[in-house]
């Protein structure tokens, strides 16, 4: 893992620099070509190293602070962090330490710190692996942890943090026969119909990917469409459709989908996903608030803090600081009111957010029910196979959390409500 290891580790450090220094998300960096010069195996290694480092960041920093009198520049810190996590996960010290020294040495502004990096990592290699598991499960940054503790309690958040640290398996939604997909990939069939793989290789090389037989979609993210229960030939308006997992679900059910999103680049991704899976939907680049017409079925996957996806995207709490949440809450309320106005009498609307914050879920629906007297929450629609009745909330929504199904690998944090307009 000589030169290949250096390139992958250097790219991992770059990703971390961008996340923590520039507030950019890894998904955006990768989509924009940050790793395009790497070979596929190197790209996978770089992403894994960056992700593992973000998950174990608190532990790495606790070990490193014992050997640093003052904080070095961010790039040096991130090279040390990546190497520390690798060492503590059992990696071979020689290659890891040499790579970190080379990464720091290539940069004129940090080259003078090669000796420091070498000395610190030699010490980490000696005692770090034994000390690693003695440290507490890494906590979320305070900007998001504090409000979540207020909402759910410290014990629950500790369990959620355990789920975040454990990471996420690969969840797949079948285009057609989920049983055939289950048998083909030898995964676990969840009660909700998702096929889950605890171990897997590169996604694009897995059987059925190129044929469009399935797509990657967390088990929680697959539930809003199941709750909407699309029918063959039914016209459905999908608001905030990108990146398209729910669009494909709706189309696979035979619905006539108008999928709306205001981001042209993200809609290009929806178009690519539909092409791969040979599914059809009408894609419209438009602001959801500018949509008009009347519909019997609407799916609104509203923009949100995405705090429910941190077990898959551990970069999120380091790329953001919570300053966007207030405006998002206001936008969600406007979108929800507008979607209700577009709903025909007797129609149904599924509202969902991939957030753990009640202000982006439970509170939104509670307030909407108070504003719209002709709307009721349909609790029965939530009672799908695999759903624990205790997950249904007081106002009639469904609260999903990463610590649910802990023995199976957890799920993303989601809030889902099915609202019906009186006839």
């Amino acid at each position: 893992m000589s030169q290949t290891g250096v390139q992958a580790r250097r790219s991992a450090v770059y990703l971390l620099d961008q996340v923590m220094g520039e507030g950019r998300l890894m998904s955006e960096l990768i989509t924009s070509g940050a790793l395009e010069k790497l070979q596929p195996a190197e790209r996978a290694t770089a992403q894994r190293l960056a992700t593992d480092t973000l998950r174990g960041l608190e532990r790495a920093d606790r070990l490193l602070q014992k050997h640093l009198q003052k904080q070095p520049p961010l790039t040096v810190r991130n090279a040390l962090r990546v190497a520390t996590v690798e060492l503590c996960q059992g990696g071979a010290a020689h290659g890891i330490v040499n790579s970190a020294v080379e990464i720091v040495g290539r940069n004129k502004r940090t080259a003078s710190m090669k000796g420091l990096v070498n000395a610190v990592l030699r010490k980490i290699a000696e005692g770090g692996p034994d000390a690693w598991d003695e440290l507490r499960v890494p906590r979320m940054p305070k900007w998001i942890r504090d409000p979540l503790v207020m909402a759910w309690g410290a014990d629950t958040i500790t369990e959620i943090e355990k789920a975040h640290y454990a990471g996420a398996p690969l969840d797949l939604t079948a285009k057609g026969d989920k049983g055939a997909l289950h048998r083909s990939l030898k995964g676990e069939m969840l009660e909700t119909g998702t096929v889950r793989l605890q171990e897997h290789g590169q996604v694009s090389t897995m059987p059925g990917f190129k044929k469009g037989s399935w797509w990657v979609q967390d088990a929680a993210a697959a539930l809003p469409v199941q709750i909407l229960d699309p029918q063959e030939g039914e016209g459905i308006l999908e608001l905030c459709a990108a990146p398209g997992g729910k669009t494909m679900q709706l189309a696979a059910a035979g619905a006539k989908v108008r999928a709306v999103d205001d981001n042209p680049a993200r809609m290009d991704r929806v178009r690519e996903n539909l092409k791969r899976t040979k599914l059809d939907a009408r894609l419209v680049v438009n602001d959801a608030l500018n949509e008009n017409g009347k519909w019997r079925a609407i799916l609104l996957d509203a923009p949100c803090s995405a705090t429910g996806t941190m077990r898959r995207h551990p970069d999120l709490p380091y790329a953001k600081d919570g300053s966007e949440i207030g405006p998002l809450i206001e936008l969600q309320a406007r979108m929800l009111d507008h979607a209700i106005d577009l709903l025909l009498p007797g129609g149904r609307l599924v509202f969902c957010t991939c957030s753990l914050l009640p202000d982006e879920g439970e509170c939104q629906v509670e307030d909407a029910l108070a504003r719209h007297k002709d709307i009721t929450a349909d609790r029965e629609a939530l009672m799908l196979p695999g759903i624990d009745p205790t997950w249904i909330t007081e106002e009639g929504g469904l609260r999903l959390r990463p610590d649910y199904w802990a023995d199976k690998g957890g799920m993303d944090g989601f809030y889902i409500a099915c609202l019906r307009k009186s006839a």
Side-chain angles (χ1 to χ4, degrees):
M1 197 175 173
S2 54
Q3 187 63 22
T4 300
V6 172
Q7 294 296 345
R9 289 166 179 139
R10 187 182 186 190
S11 296
V13 171
Y14 171 77
L15 292 175
L16 295 177
D17 284 352
Q18 291 296 302
V19 169
M20 288 182 271
E22 303 297 330
R24 300 183 66 186
L25 294 171
M26 276 180 55
S27 57
E28 296 171 358
L29 290 164
I30 292 165
T31 300
S32 63
L35 303 180
E36 65 180 6
K37 294 182 179 180
L38 300 182
Q39 295 298 315
E42 292 177 318
R43 285 200 296 269
T45 299
Q47 285 182 250
R48 177 183 59 77
L49 289 174
T51 299
D52 286 353
T53 301
L54 288 162
R55 287 202 174 103
L57 195 67
E58 182 189 276
R59 286 186 174 184
D61 283 351
R62 283 178 178 268
L63 292 177
L64 287 167
Q65 71 183 6
K66 299 176 182 179
H67 308 293
L68 295 170
Q69 292 183 349
K70 62 180 182 178
Q71 289 286 10
L74 183 61
T75 296
V76 177
R77 260 185 291 160
N78 285 333
L80 287 167
R81 286 161 165 167
V82 170
T84 296
V85 170
E86 252 197 300
L87 288 167
C88 293
Q89 289 179 342
H94 179 75
I96 295 170
V97 175
N98 286 350
S99 291
V101 170
E102 182 172 342
I103 290 165
V104 171
R106 287 185 181 185
N107 188 326
K108 291 181 180 179
R109 289 175 296 178
T110 61
S112 62
M113 296 186 178
K114 291 193 300 181
L116 170 71
V117 168
N118 182 69
V120 168
L121 292 180
R122 295 295 176 190
K123 293 175 182 176
I124 294 292
E126 290 175 8
D130 290 335
W132 183 263
D133 289 331
E134 299 301 318
L135 296 170
R136 72 184 183 190
V137 171
R139 291 185 173 183
M140 294 176 264
K142 285 180 65 65
W143 75 262
I144 184 59
R145 191 178 202 274
D146 287 351
L148 290 179
V149 168
M150 288 183 63
W152 306 113
D155 290 344
T156 293
I157 296 309
T158 296
E159 293 305 309
I160 288 175
E161 286 167 335
K162 289 179 182 178
H164 287 173
Y165 183 61
L170 185 71
D171 285 354
L172 308 178
T173 296
K175 175 183 174 182
D177 185 351
K178 54 183 178 287
L181 177 62
H182 173 228
R183 292 189 294 273
S184 170
L185 297 178
K186 298 179 175 60
E188 176 187 5
M189 177 71 79
L190 301 179
E191 292 178 79
T192 55
T194 288
V195 175
R196 171 164 289 184
L197 304 178
Q198 300 292 344
E199 302 290 339
H200 61 89
Q202 190 173 337
V203 170
S204 61
T205 63
M206 289 167 55
F209 177 82
K210 291 182 179 179
K211 292 183 178 180
S213 303
W214 49 265
W215 53 90
V216 176
Q217 186 178 36
D218 187 80
L223 290 174
V225 169
Q226 295 184 42
I227 289 167
L228 185 65
D229 191 23
Q231 302 300 304
E232 179 79 32
E234 181 180 29
I236 295 179
L237 175 64
E238 183 190 11
L239 300 175
C240 311
K246 298 175 184 65
T247 310
M248 290 184 283
Q249 280 183 281
L250 294 167
K256 297 178 179 179
V257 188
R258 177 182 173 89
V260 178
D261 199 282
D262 66 355
N263 188 313
R266 283 166 59 83
M267 284 299 264
D268 286 342
R269 185 176 172 189
V270 179
R271 191 170 289 107
E272 292 169 2
N273 286 332
L274 289 170
K275 181 179 180 180
R276 179 178 65 84
T277 55
K278 300 177 180 63
L279 292 169
D280 184 56
R282 183 183 178 191
L283 304 186
V284 180
V285 178
N286 192 21
D287 188 325
L289 294 171
N290 292 333
E291 281 292 297
N292 51 37
K294 293 293 182 179
W295 297 82
R296 292 198 178 277
I298 300 174
L299 175 63
L300 170 57
D301 186 359
C304 70
S305 64
T307 47
T309 68
M310 287 187 286
R311 81 194 234 284
R312 292 186 181 277
H313 304 292
D315 54 314
L316 188 145
Y318 297 100
K320 298 186 177 184
D321 61 7
S323 58
E324 81 287 357
I325 293 177
L328 281 172
I329 291 170
E330 180 182 346
L331 177 61
Q332 292 156 12
R334 292 172 60 204
M335 284 188 170
L336 186 49
D337 284 344
H338 185 60
I340 289 171
D341 289 342
L342 299 178
L343 203 58
L344 284 165
R348 66 199 190 280
L349 160 68
V350 166
F351 166 80
C352 62
T353 58
C354 54
S355 172
L356 288 170
L357 294 166
D359 284 344
E360 297 187 281
E362 290 88 339
C363 297
Q364 286 286 12
V365 167
E366 184 178 10
D367 291 347
L369 291 171
R371 292 193 301 269
H372 301 272
K373 300 304 181 183
D374 58 343
I375 293 293
T376 57
D378 184 353
R379 288 172 169 80
E380 290 299 318
L382 308 176
M383 292 307 299
L384 299 173
I387 297 302
D388 188 324
T390 63
W391 300 350
I392 298 178
T393 57
E394 184 177 350
E395 79 291 340
L398 179 64
R399 166 52 64 189
L400 304 175
R401 300 195 322 232
D403 57 317
Y404 293 165
W405 291 350
D407 59 331
K408 299 178 182 179
M411 65 173 72
D412 281 354
F414 248 88
Y415 176 83
I416 310 165
C418 183
L419 306 178
R420 291 191 179 268
K421 182 173 280 191
S422 57

